[in-house]
């Protein structure tokens, strides 16, 4: 449960926070989550000794996470946003405590709490960004934010697995809790607040069903969701089944952590992809990248368990291209959503993370009943081709 996902100058007022403030918060949050990103699937596999069992558990917990994500706007309209953000950090901390129990019930609870925490932080931080960053500056701001998280997502997964195997099972979770506490302290130091100038206009209903209906009737929001969903499917597959591929083929747990860390090293390319997107246009860049992702996934699937190192290399190639969607994809949503319904639409948009863990995990549990591990990568390539076509056909060329 990943999830999906990326990125000193200090301020004492929150009236006009700069992009670097959000980058700092996202970078520390990324470190808190990245440390246990590779540990959790390996720990779950150690407990269950079944790739299919891991998929089923992830599917069940993702369903609960989806329900909680859709309910977050109900919290935002009743509780100040800063307290909702605080609740998200607290969920990450309690989730780590549950993982440290090293039991199946603790694993299930940890997966849910981690999903809820990540969803809460994602939604609230996105709202702050939309309040304070101009639309014309979004691509640059997002590329800076992704680049800031590079250190976390590059070193965190390997560090977590190293601590898990050489120091003790509890060690990575303790370190993750430490970074979560730093995140909470920084957030309150920056004193982020809503931008009152952007809160005008009629408010949309907070009912989750009504929010979903409102989201679905807007074509540009649907397309932005598909882009984010497909990108997140790649990362959730990479984070969970990449380490499992290494362990199942005898490469070792450290190889699994190293694979994820190397994949995240490409986040350094966020600045480059941001420039490509601004010069070539979002439609052309995103569509082409999804096709290249499909090619890399087919290569990984054909290599499979017979040639695990070749499969790992192809997954890393895919990670390089997926960083482009990390950098550019969210701009398609932020430019399309109306200011007066940001909280409600952001919560629905954020469900791409839950669905990217529910649907692939469910599908993979069926595929793995009949085929080997490599087959799931080929199945995922089909989704990338589908998304590439829809982006090329329907994303406005003016973006």
């Amino acid at each position: 449960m990943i999830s999906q996902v990326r990125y000193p100058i200090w301020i004492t007022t929150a009236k006009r926070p700069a992009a670097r403030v959000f980058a700092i918060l996202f970078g520390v949050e990324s470190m808190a989550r990245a440390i246990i990103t590779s540990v959790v699937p390996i720990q779950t596999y150690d407990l269950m000794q079944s790739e299919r069992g891991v998929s089923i558990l992830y599917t069940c917990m993702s369903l609960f996470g989806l329900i909680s994500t859709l309910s977050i706007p109900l919290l935002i309209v009743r509780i100040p946003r800063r307290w909702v953000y605080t609740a998200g950090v607290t969920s990450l901390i309690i989730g780590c405590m549950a993982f440290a129990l090293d039991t199946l019930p603790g694993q299930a609870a940890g997966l849910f709490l981690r999903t809820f925490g990540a969803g809460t932080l994602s939604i609230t931080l996105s709202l702050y960004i939309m309040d304070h960053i101009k639309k014309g500056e979004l691509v640059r701001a997002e590329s800076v934010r992704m680049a800031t998280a590079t250190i976390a997502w590059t070193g965190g997964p390997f560090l977590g697995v190293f601590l898990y195997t050489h120091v003790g099972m509890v060690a990575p979770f303790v370190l993750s809790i430490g970074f979560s506490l730093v995140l909470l302290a920084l957030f309150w130091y920056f004193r982020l607040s809503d931008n009152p100038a952007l809160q005008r206009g009629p408010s949309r209903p907070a009912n989750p069903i009504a929010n979903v209906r409102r989201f679905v009737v807007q074509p540009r929001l649907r397309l932005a969701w598909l882009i984010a969903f497909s990108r997140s499917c790649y990362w959730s597959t990479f984070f969970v089944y990449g380490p499992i591929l290494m362990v199942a083929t005898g490469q070792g747990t450290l190889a699994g952590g190293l694979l994820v860390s190397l994949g995240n090293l490409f986040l350094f390319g966020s600045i480059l992809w941001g420039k490509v997107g601004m010069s070539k246009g979002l439609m052309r860049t995103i569509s082409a990248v999804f096709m290249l992702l499909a090619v890399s996934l087919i290569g990984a699937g054909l290599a499979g368990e017979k040639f695990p190192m070749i499969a790992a290399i192809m997954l890393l190639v895919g990670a390089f291209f997926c960083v482009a969607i990390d950098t550019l994809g969210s701009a398609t949503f932020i430019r399309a959503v109306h200011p007066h319904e940001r909280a409600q639409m952001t919560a629905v948009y954020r469900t791409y993370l839950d669905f990217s863990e529910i649907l692939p995990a469910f599908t993979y549990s069926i595929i793995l009943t009949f085929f080997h591990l490599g087959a799931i990568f080929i199945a995922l390539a089909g989704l990338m081709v589908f998304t590439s076509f829809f982006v090329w056909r329907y994303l406005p060329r003016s973006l």
Side-chain angles (χ1 to χ4, degrees):
M1 226 138 285
I2 320 298
S3 326
Q4 253 181 9
V5 329
R6 278 281 209 282
Y7 345 92
I9 297 176
W10 311 98
I11 63 173
T12 57
T13 178
K15 290 185 178 180
R16 295 296 301 174
R20 56 180 168 267
V21 171
F22 302 114
I24 291 170
L25 290 174
F26 190 60
V28 178
E29 176 201 336
S30 297
M31 197 66 187
R33 295 192 292 116
I35 288 172
I36 62 173
T37 290
S38 296
V39 172
V40 171
I42 291 173
Q43 182 187 30
T44 307
Y45 182 75
D46 288 342
L47 287 169
M48 305 188 75
Q49 292 298 308
S50 168
E51 296 105 331
R52 184 171 180 270
V54 172
S55 296
I56 292 173
L57 180 61
Y58 269 66
T59 300
C60 294
M61 291 304 103
S62 295
L63 284 170
F64 288 111
L66 172 61
I67 296 172
S68 68
T69 296
L70 289 173
S71 302
I72 291 174
L74 298 176
L75 296 177
I76 292 176
V77 298
R78 290 171 172 79
I79 304 172
R81 195 186 296 170
R82 60 184 178 274
W83 291 111
V84 178
Y85 188 95
T86 300
V89 180
T90 303
S91 294
L92 294 184
I93 293 172
I94 300 175
C96 284
M97 294 177 180
F99 285 131
L101 298 176
D102 200 31
T103 64
L104 278 180
Q107 210 71 6
L111 288 171
F112 169 75
L113 288 168
R114 189 164 186 257
T115 299
F116 175 76
T120 302
L121 295 176
S122 175
I123 291 173
T124 50
L125 190 63
S126 295
L127 293 175
Y128 283 127
I129 290 172
M130 286 187 283
D131 277 359
H132 298 287
I133 303 297
K134 297 178 181 179
K135 288 188 176 182
E137 302 173 355
L138 282 174
V139 172
R140 179 180 176 276
E142 285 299 288
S143 63
V144 171
R145 190 163 69 101
M146 292 297 108
T148 305
T150 302
I151 295 176
W153 288 104
T154 301
F158 180 78
L159 175 61
V161 173
F162 179 83
L163 293 174
Y164 180 77
T165 55
H166 288 80
V167 178
M169 181 271 299
V170 177
F173 302 114
V174 172
L175 187 57
S176 178
I177 290 173
F179 277 102
S180 297
L181 292 173
V182 171
L183 173 64
L184 192 58
L186 283 173
F187 172 75
W188 282 95
Y189 176 79
F190 287 141
R191 298 171 57 200
L192 293 179
S193 62
D194 302 0
N195 188 338
L198 298 177
Q199 303 307 313
R200 299 171 184 171
S203 60
R204 294 289 174 184
N207 182 282
I209 303 299
N211 294 336
V212 172
R213 290 173 180 168
R214 173 61 184 163
F215 188 97
V216 170
V217 298
Q218 300 183 63
R220 286 183 60 184
L221 292 186
R222 294 200 305 265
L223 182 57
W225 188 93
L226 176 63
I227 292 171
F229 168 74
S230 300
R231 178 260 294 177
S232 190
C233 282
Y234 182 86
W235 284 124
S236 65
T237 302
F238 181 79
F239 286 144
V240 175
Y241 295 94
I244 288 177
L245 175 66
M246 295 293 98
V247 173
T249 56
Q251 310 303 311
T253 56
L254 283 179
L258 182 60
L259 173 64
V260 174
S261 289
L262 289 176
N264 286 297
L265 181 64
F266 294 121
L267 284 170
F268 278 118
S270 296
I271 302 295
L272 171 64
W273 283 118
K275 293 180 179 179
V276 172
M278 288 187 288
S279 63
K280 302 297 183 181
L282 295 183
M283 183 276 292
R284 292 181 179 84
T285 304
I286 293 175
S287 179
V289 165
F290 272 118
M291 286 301 298
L292 293 170
L293 264 176
V295 173
S296 64
L297 282 167
I298 292 172
L302 293 176
E305 293 173 289
K306 290 185 178 179
F307 305 99
M309 298 310 297
I310 295 177
I313 291 173
M314 296 307 299
L315 289 175
L316 289 175
V317 172
F320 170 73
F321 293 118
C322 202
V323 168
I325 313 299
D326 284 348
T327 305
L328 306 173
S330 60
T332 62
F333 168 75
I334 296 175
R335 291 183 179 182
V337 67
H338 298 299
H340 60 270
E341 55 185 9
R342 284 174 174 172
Q344 293 82 3
M345 296 303 99
T346 300
V348 179
Y349 173 72
R350 171 55 178 68
T351 60
Y352 75 81
L353 275 176
D354 302 296
F355 276 104
S356 70
E357 290 166 354
I358 295 171
L359 296 182
F362 176 75
T363 304
Y364 298 162
S365 67
I366 298 174
I367 292 175
L368 291 171
T369 303
F370 305 99
F371 302 99
H372 293 295
L373 193 56
I376 69 174
F377 303 128
I378 295 178
L380 185 58
L383 173 63
M384 301 304 156
V385 173
F386 175 84
T387 305
S388 176
F389 168 78
F390 268 79
V391 170
W392 180 265
R393 179 66 179 82
Y394 296 108
L395 190 66
R397 282 159 173 74
S398 58
L399 289 180

